[in-house]
Amino acid sequence: MQEFNPYEIIPGDYDRALVLLGDHAMNHLPERYGRLGLPETAFSRHIAYDIGIEALTRRLASMLGVPAVMSCFSRLLIDPNRGEDDPTLIMKISDGAIIPGNHPITQAEWSERIALYHRPYHEAVSHTIAKTAKASGRAPLVLSLHSFTPFWKEVPRPWHAAVLWDSDRRAAGPLIDRLRQPGDILVGDNEPYDGALRGDTMYRHCMMTGIPHALLEVRQDLIGSEEGVEAWAARLAPIFEALNDDPALHAYEVHQSRTGPYPA
């Protein structure tokens, strides 16, 4: 019997046509996996989850009155922001940390994690987007929230936030512009990561379906405290509100992915 809920849906006003996502919001594991052979300290690191994103997602959903979907399992178990056929779906090593519970892994265990955790999360995302589209009568705007480390391999990352996108810039462009407008933060445009990732959450639920979307990354040291979360929620809420008020961001329009043709 499945006792671990792989996702949480925060209810909101579905007719507002805005959905928030938190793919890596939590660092929990089902009891059967123990700690995957890792020390407890591993679960306070970025390898286990996106630090600050659960609190930020909850705060923004509350301020905006909109639904949100968050995964409840650690990315160390299985990464919800990867396609089912992605070889990095279940990591054996993450930022130098060997994950004993993931190596070796049988095909049966691999498939079971997809069936019990990865797939139900994406079904919840699909359900929430569909419910929002039906209630609002238009394409929802989907904004996915992530966080990134201040350093990578001892190299500092100067950006305070970053917006990732594939080839559909309808929401990403205005989001970058509005974040940069006050002039007090450095905003990455497809850096430190590129937003074109075949099979990821934005690809699966938005690129293939023509739904306007953007993925926002906030640097983890800026949202690692209640004060930081509150400050960034106050910064982001009016920006998200303004984006959501734009009729152009509520139309279906399929853009070809930079990763290649969509599967048939």
Side-chain angles (χ1 to χ4, degrees):
M1 181 178 178
Q2 171 75 339
E3 297 179 351
F4 182 90
N5 192 348
Y7 62 85
E8 179 182 345
I9 298 176
I10 300 172
D13 294 331
Y14 292 88
D15 58 359
R16 298 212 57 211
L18 174 61
V19 176
L20 304 180
L21 301 179
D23 291 332
H24 301 139
M26 303 186 201
N27 59 358
H28 307 313
L29 288 177
E31 187 176 351
R32 60 183 284 200
Y33 291 101
R35 306 313 270 165
L36 290 171
L38 292 166
E40 188 62 35
T41 53
F43 291 86
S44 62
R45 296 182 58 203
H46 70 96
I47 62 172
Y49 73 124
D50 279 353
I51 293 165
I53 289 303
E54 178 185 358
L56 183 61
T57 302
R58 290 189 189 281
R59 188 70 183 107
L60 284 168
S62 175
M63 293 172 73
L64 296 167
V66 300
V69 186
M70 300 186 295
S71 75
C72 296
F73 53 90
S74 170
R75 68 200 303 176
L76 291 170
L77 180 71
I78 187 168
D79 193 333
N81 195 35
R82 296 292 184 273
E84 291 189 8
D85 59 351
D86 192 311
T88 66
L89 183 65
I90 299 176
M91 295 290 284
K92 300 173 184 178
I93 302 175
S94 182
D95 194 14
I98 298 173
I99 308 162
N102 291 349
H103 180 66
I105 185 171
T106 65
Q107 185 58 52
E109 173 62 25
W110 187 287
S111 298
E112 186 170 75
R113 291 191 197 183
I114 291 175
L116 293 181
Y117 310 109
H118 189 278
R119 200 168 289 158
Y121 170 69
H122 284 284
E123 289 170 353
V125 172
S126 293
H127 170 77
T128 303
I129 290 174
K131 184 174 180 179
T132 302
K134 182 177 181 180
S136 65
R138 51 194 176 145
L141 171 62
V142 176
L143 299 174
S144 183
L145 301 170
H146 290 254
S147 65
F148 64 96
T149 57
F151 293 85
W152 184 250
K153 309 296 184 184
E154 299 184 355
V155 177
R157 288 169 161 170
W159 309 278
H160 299 84
V163 178
L164 311 187
W165 54 286
D166 186 337
S167 61
D168 185 352
R169 196 178 165 85
R170 287 178 296 164
L175 177 55
I176 292 168
D177 292 342
R178 288 182 178 275
L179 285 167
R180 287 176 173 171
Q181 194 169 21
D184 61 336
I185 61 172
L186 183 62
V187 181
D189 183 348
N190 263 342
E191 52 185 351
Y193 313 113
D194 189 333
L197 180 59
R198 190 172 186 83
D200 73 354
T201 301
M202 295 291 90
Y203 179 98
R204 176 173 179 168
H205 296 283
C206 299
M207 286 293 295
M208 290 182 65
T209 59
I211 290 175
H213 62 282
L215 189 155
L216 173 66
E217 298 253 8
V218 182
R219 208 174 66 204
Q220 289 172 356
D221 59 314
L222 303 176
I223 53 172
S225 65
E226 290 183 16
E227 295 78 12
V229 166
E230 194 61 37
W232 273 86
R235 179 188 292 269
L236 293 172
I239 293 176
F240 286 7
E241 192 86 62
L243 293 178
N244 199 47
D245 286 342
D246 184 352
L249 299 184
H250 293 288
Y252 294 95
E253 186 179 296
V254 176
H255 293 242
Q256 180 59 52
S257 172
R258 289 188 280 119
T259 66
Y262 294 120

